[in-house]
Amino acid sequence: MKRPILALALILSLGQPVLAKEGVAIPAPTASIAEAGPQTAVFAGGCFWGVQGVFQHTKGVISATSGYAGGAAGTANYKQVSRGTTAHAEAVQVVYDPAQVSYGDLLQIFFSVAHDPTQLNRQGPDWGTQYRSALFPMTEEQEQLAKDYIGQLNRARVYDAAIVTKLEGAQPFYPAEGYHQNFLARNPMHPYIVQEDLPKIEALKRLFPQEFQATPVLLYLTN
């Protein structure tokens, strides 16, 4: 589904689960991993506008870049990915300082406020495999922690349905077109942002006050 069809999208979103918008209080991972120096993690949770925005408002994040992961370089563009046939997911690459925010912290925020991990191949009004819930761990330690955390959350039954998030391993990440970067910050009155993504920022502020930063860390764009 293409987001320019906003009127239809907002109509279809009525009556759908609002977990991702409201956020849900979930326990932190019981396990942790040792990390030093800047680290990279890749998250896919539906439209990258909102996921990028959430992580840009998270303390310790050095940068958050919208892009594509899971498919080939030749199809890593919005027009083709939007068809849902490229194996790509809309994803966000996060570079972070583990002295301020850990991979476990980012996982907790991802599963709590950035998206609804129980929706299969969709998020709210958007549907298709390009909007799937997925993690692309960069290291074996990240992958094991993510696997353990999903199991922990499922056992705790913090959601009304099972988590469908896929662990897809390290994959090449391709930055999205410039007009997609910093989209939430640059377009706070865009109907999609108002409906789907600003509530996530409010949920981050409410559920993670220690991790929330009011001024987002934006990408420097040359055009």
Side-chain angles (χ1 to χ4, degrees), residues 14-37:
L14 296 176
Q16 298 297 332
V18 293
L19 173 64
K21 299 178 189 179
E22 295 181 349
V24 59
I26 62 175
T30 55
S32 63
I33 56 177
E35 299 177 299

Side-chain angles (χ1 to χ4, degrees), residues 110-157:
F110 175 68
F111 284 111
S112 173
V113 302
H115 82 309
D116 179 349
T118 69
Q119 293 196 38
L120 181 63
N121 294 330
R122 68 168 298 160
Q123 282 295 307
D126 300 322
W127 66 87
T129 57
Q130 70 272 32
Y131 298 114
R132 66 188 181 272
S133 175
L135 293 167
F136 300 89
M138 304 302 294
T139 65
E140 292 182 1
E141 291 77 13
Q142 283 188 359
E143 183 165 10
Q144 187 60 55
L145 179 57
K147 181 179 180 180
D148 291 345
Y149 191 40
I150 290 172
Q152 175 189 338
L153 293 177
N154 275 329
R155 289 190 300 273
R157 297 185 178 182

Side-chain angles (χ1 to χ4, degrees), residues 41-216:
V42 178
F43 305 85
C47 170
F48 44 30
W49 295 345
V51 178
Q52 181 191 44
V54 166
F55 286 122
Q56 287 181 325
H57 279 280
T58 301
K59 291 179 182 178
V61 168
I62 298 169
S63 67
T65 305
S66 291
Y68 313 104
T75 59
N77 61 80
Y78 187 66
K79 182 177 180 180
Q80 293 188 68
V81 172
S82 293
R83 297 171 183 166
T85 59
T86 65
H88 278 296
E90 289 196 11
V92 174
Q93 182 186 71
V94 177
V95 178
Y96 62 99
D97 177 3
Q100 300 183 65
V101 64
S102 69
Y103 182 62
D105 295 331
L106 296 177
L107 285 175
Q108 187 181 13
I109 289 170
F110 175 68
F111 284 111
S112 173
V113 302
H115 82 309
D116 179 349
T118 69
Q119 293 196 38
L120 181 63
N121 294 330
R122 68 168 298 160
Q123 282 295 307
D126 300 322
W127 66 87
T129 57
Q130 70 272 32
Y131 298 114
R132 66 188 181 272
S133 175
L135 293 167
F136 300 89
M138 304 302 294
T139 65
E140 292 182 1
E141 291 77 13
Q142 283 188 359
E143 183 165 10
Q144 187 60 55
L145 179 57
K147 181 179 180 180
D148 291 345
Y149 191 40
I150 290 172
Q152 175 189 338
L153 293 177
N154 275 329
R155 289 190 300 273
R157 297 185 178 182
V158 294
Y159 309 105
D160 293 331
I163 293 172
V164 297
T165 307
K166 296 182 178 180
L167 295 180
E168 302 192 23
Q171 300 280 347
F173 176 84
Y174 306 97
E177 297 82 352
Y179 65 88
H180 285 301
Q181 307 299 343
N182 304 329
F183 195 91
L184 185 150
R186 292 187 293 109
N187 301 277
M189 299 308 295
H190 189 290
Y192 186 96
I193 295 297
V194 172
Q195 173 79 10
E196 301 296 326
D197 294 330
L198 290 185
K200 298 178 183 179
I201 306 302
E202 289 302 311
L204 175 68
K205 181 179 180 179
R206 173 171 51 86
L207 293 172
F208 297 93
Q210 299 304 314
E211 289 80 11
F212 175 78
Q213 57 183 10
T215 302

